[in-house]
């Protein structure tokens, strides 16, 4: 493996068996034991529910240091990218490995606009859904349906086909999200405009109506760009792993992304941003603002309740994205001249978490979902659209991870093993 530095071997000894397993490190000195020969040499497998200790690949895309709270896309720190870039620059960086120059930025922006319309027959899909349909369900259906409306083109190269898919997914999923919202509130849909850039177009499609002469607010546009950048990738998270697992079977990119959208919908994953708001609202309505009760419930092993927006598989320190989102939430509210009692309550919950050894001893801190929903709320985006916003932001990361999986020389169809614990052979007679 050309991309790693071999450090020697780790000896595994069991009964009369012993095996030397190669140990290597990546570019950030993360060390791994290569167990690819384990079963063949020993007949044994490893056991690691949730893949807490298991690496599935070598990757050049995103680096996370969970102890130090570091997040970098292609080597660039998340704070720099959120401050200095537009979302489409970061999408380009994740997919192509480099930030676009001005010419590449303008061309990419133009392509996104060119592909922003959805096929009119797809637009009618929305008419078939009930108004209360969760937009994550429609978004996933739209993603996989793109493969029927835009099949592979035989007369262009594989790379051009991929470039078309990347642009269609980034642009049309954003359009589909806005259409789903309009359908849910019974408003006429607003088509994308050629004159607006990626985030402005989304806001216009969401909030323009024939009677409000909506003007896109630059404060909200800047906040949306930052939020989408914060969500753009996060290495081998649950939904990215699903996208790669589906792609490893040879399924097309649209189908893989559709599966990733469904995984992200889960309340333990991207669905947490919606559940944070619902949790804060419940504290006000049911607990009369008593934070202590919700903290005690979260610590009670007999209570399945989890503190939404807190804890992370990798970050055992403050999620760097949560820091940016917290400040952005305050900035957006201040610049829009609005206040939200849920923000004060969220800070009270955060202070209680940071002061409680149950959380600190387990490395449980606010994650990206703790403050992002409050910022979307300040921007006028409804709660059931929060996870959709997460999905729109994560599309470039899912695509980059899928492309890297497809081009991986060590790549194979994903197929974990198990240890069987069921009944041994028994007769039917
Ligand atoms: C995302 O992986 C990614 O990168 C995901 C993501 C991305 O960008 O793709 O960052 C996005 O999914 C963020 C996480 C959003 N989910 C939530 O906010 C839901 C609440 N959080 C938890 O459900 C939990 O923290 C997870 C799911 C995020 C992580 O679960 P793990 O790694 O499996 O941790 P665990 O369940 O093994 O918990 C370790 C301990 C346990 O206690 P003990 O058994 O040690 O006594 O911490 C406790 C847990 O009970 N714990 C919590 C808790 N989270 C963990 N206790 C109370 N409230 C919580 N939120």
């Amino acid at each position: 493996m050309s991309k790693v530095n071999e450090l020697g071997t780790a000896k595994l000894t069991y009964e009369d068996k012993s095996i030397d397993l190669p140990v290597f490190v990546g570019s950030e000195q993360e060390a791994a034991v290569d167990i690819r020969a384990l079963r063949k040499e020993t007949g044994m497998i490893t056991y690691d529910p949730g893949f807490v200790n298991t690496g599935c690949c070598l990757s050049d895309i995103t680096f996370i240091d969970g102890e130090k709270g570091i997040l970098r896309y292609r080597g660039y720190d998340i704070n720099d990218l959120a401050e200095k870039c537009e979302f489409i620059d970061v999408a380009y960086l994740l997919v192509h490995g480099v930030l676009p120059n001005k010419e590449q930025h303008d061309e990419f922006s133009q392509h996104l606009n060119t592909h922003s319309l959805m096929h009119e027959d797809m637009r009618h899909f929305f008419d078939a859904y009930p108004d209360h349909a969760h937009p994550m369900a429609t978004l996933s259906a739209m993603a996989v349906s793109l493969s029927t409306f835009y099949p592979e083109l035989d007369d262009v190269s594989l790379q051009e086909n991929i470039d078309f898919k990347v642009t269609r997914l980034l642009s049309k999923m954003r359009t589909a999200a806005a259409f789903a919202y309009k359908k849910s509130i019974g408003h006429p849909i607003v088509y994308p405009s050629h004159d607006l850039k990626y985030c402005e177009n989304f806001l216009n499609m969401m909030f323009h109506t024939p009677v409000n002469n909506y003007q896109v607010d630059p404060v909200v546009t800047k906040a949306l760009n930052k939020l989408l950048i914060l969500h753009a990738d996060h290495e081998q998270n649950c939904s990215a792993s699903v996208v790669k697992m589906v792609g490893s079977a040879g399924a097309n990119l649209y189908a893989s992304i559709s599966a990733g959208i469904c995984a992200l919908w889960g309340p333990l994953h991207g669905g947490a941003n919606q559940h944070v708001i619902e949790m804060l609202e419940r504290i006000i309505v049911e607990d009369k603002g008593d934070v202590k009760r919700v903290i005690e419930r979260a610590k009670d092993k007999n209570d399945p309740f989890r503190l939404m927006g807190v804890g992370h598989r990798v970050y055992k320190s403050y999620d760097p994205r949560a820091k940016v989102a917290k400040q952005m939430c305050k900035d957006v509210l201040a610049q829009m001249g609005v206040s939200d009692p849920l923000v004060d309550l969220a800070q009270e919950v955060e202070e209680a978490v940071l002061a409680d050894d149950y959380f600190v001893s387990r490395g449980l801190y606010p994650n990206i979902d703790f403050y992002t929903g409050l910022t979307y709320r300040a921007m006028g985006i409804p709660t059931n659209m929060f996870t959709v916003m997460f999905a729109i932001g994560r599309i470039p990361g899912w695509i980059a991870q899928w492309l890297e999986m497809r081009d991986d020389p060590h790549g194979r169809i994903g197929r974990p093993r198990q240890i069987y614990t069921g009944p041994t052979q028994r007769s039917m007679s």
Side-chain angles (χ1 to χ4, degrees):
M1 294 184 283
S2 59
K3 297 184 173 181
V4 299
N5 294 321
E6 304 220 347
L7 287 187
T9 60
K11 184 178 291 299
L12 176 66
T13 305
Y14 175 67
E15 293 175 349
D16 60 344
K17 297 187 184 75
S18 176
I19 176 175
D20 290 325
L21 295 166
V23 175
F24 64 86
V25 292
S27 52
E28 290 287 351
Q29 305 315 304
E30 299 164 299
V33 178
D34 183 344
I35 60 166
R36 286 179 291 177
L38 180 68
R39 189 168 186 274
K40 185 178 167 206
E41 300 286 329
T42 69
M44 292 194 289
I45 63 170
T46 59
Y47 175 61
D48 187 22
F51 311 114
V52 178
N53 304 285
T54 298
C56 65
C57 64
L58 307 179
S59 180
D60 299 344
I61 301 171
T62 292
F63 171 68
I64 302 173
D65 183 321
E67 282 64 38
K68 295 176 185 164
I70 293 172
L71 170 60
R72 300 189 198 120
Y73 299 156
R74 300 284 189 184
Y76 294 101
D77 185 87
I78 190 65
N79 294 287
D80 292 339
L81 292 169
E83 198 50 46
K84 300 170 184 166
C85 294
E86 289 181 34
F87 171 61
I88 68 168
D89 296 320
V90 172
Y92 189 99
L93 168 69
L94 286 167
V95 172
H96 298 287
V98 292
L99 283 165
N101 59 36
K102 174 141 182 12
E103 185 188 348
Q104 290 163 330
H105 170 99
D106 293 344
E107 184 183 35
F108 189 44
S109 185
Q110 184 52 52
H111 284 170
L112 289 168
N113 260 8
T114 302
H115 290 282
S116 56
L117 270 178
M118 288 179 76
H119 192 292
E120 273 298 291
D121 289 349
M122 278 188 80
R123 185 176 70 73
H124 293 302
F125 283 18
F126 293 92
D127 302 337
Y129 282 96
D131 289 352
H132 59 269
H134 197 290
M136 284 298 274
T138 43
L139 199 70
S140 176
M142 290 302 150
V144 70
S145 300
L146 288 175
S147 62
T148 63
F149 285 85
Y150 304 99
E152 296 281 327
L153 300 172
D154 296 330
D155 57 343
V156 298
S157 70
L158 185 62
Q159 187 52 48
E160 283 174 295
N161 262 309
I162 282 292
D163 290 342
F164 274 129
K165 287 194 181 82
V166 169
T167 314
R168 284 188 187 117
L169 278 163
L170 283 168
S171 195
K172 295 180 192 295
M173 287 295 97
R174 172 216 40 195
T175 302
F179 283 11
Y181 170 63
K182 286 298 201 186
K183 161 70 182 164
S184 72
I185 58 173
H187 280 192
I189 63 159
V190 175
Y191 285 95
S193 161
H194 182 272
D195 304 326
L196 296 174
K197 295 192 75 176
Y198 189 88
C199 285
E200 289 89 341
N201 237 327
F202 175 73
L203 293 166
N204 191 58
M205 287 191 276
M206 284 282 288
F207 300 121
H208 187 279
T209 74
V211 293
N212 73 355
N213 189 29
Y214 175 77
Q215 298 299 316
V216 179
D217 181 336
V219 169
V220 177
T221 302
K222 184 172 172 53
L224 181 57
N225 266 293
K226 271 192 174 183
L227 281 167
L228 295 179
I229 288 170
L230 293 181
H231 288 87
D233 191 54
H234 218 238
E235 53 130 289
Q236 307 310 313
N237 61 85
C238 177
S239 52
S241 301
V242 163
V243 168
K244 293 171 69 173
M245 181 67 92
V246 171
S248 74
N252 65 63
L253 180 57
Y254 297 127
S256 304
I257 297 291
S258 176
I261 292 169
C262 292
L264 187 72
W265 193 1
L268 296 186
H269 193 11
N273 56 18
Q274 173 175 340
H275 287 264
V276 166
I277 300 298
E278 291 164 357
M279 173 184 76
L280 294 172
E281 288 172 336
R282 267 200 309 277
I283 292 173
I284 288 183
V285 172
E286 294 174 11
D287 300 328
K288 306 285 179 280
D290 177 7
V291 168
K292 289 191 189 63
R293 184 168 179 281
V294 77
I295 293 294
E296 288 317 307
R297 279 196 60 199
K299 293 159 61 174
D300 179 357
K301 292 304 171 192
N302 299 316
D303 188 331
F305 172 75
R306 282 282 178 95
L307 212 48
M308 290 290 111
V310 169
H312 199 278
R313 172 63 57 78
V314 177
Y315 290 121
K316 298 312 172 190
S317 59
Y318 210 105
D319 184 333
R321 305 166 297 175
K323 282 183 187 165
V324 178
K326 179 179 180 180
Q327 187 53 52
M328 193 165 51
C329 180
K330 292 180 177 176
D331 294 347
V332 169
L333 286 168
Q335 286 157 345
M336 297 178 75
V338 297
S339 63
D340 182 350
L342 291 192
V343 173
D344 301 333
L345 181 59
Q347 289 187 135
E348 206 182 322
V349 171
E350 176 186 346
E351 285 159 15
V353 164
L354 299 182
D356 190 311
D357 186 56
Y358 169 90
F359 298 95
V360 175
S361 64
R362 293 170 172 80
L364 301 175
Y365 293 84
N367 60 49
I368 185 165
D369 292 309
F370 194 70
Y371 283 104
T372 45
L374 291 163
T375 310
Y376 290 134
R377 189 175 142 96
M379 293 158 68
I381 294 172
T383 305
N384 74 339
M385 283 287 290
F386 289 177
T387 311
V388 169
M389 301 308 297
F390 193 142
I392 294 172
R394 184 53 56 88
I395 286 175
W398 285 333
I399 291 171
Q401 297 285 349
W402 188 93
L403 292 173
E404 188 174 68
M405 174 277 302
R406 187 202 60 170
D407 300 336
D408 182 348
H410 304 291
R412 308 176 70 176
I413 186 169
R415 203 270 187 224
R417 284 188 176 269
Q418 63 164 30
I419 294 297
Y420 177 71
T421 53
T424 53
Q425 185 172 8
R426 48 188 176 168
S427 162
M428 291 288 283
S429 54

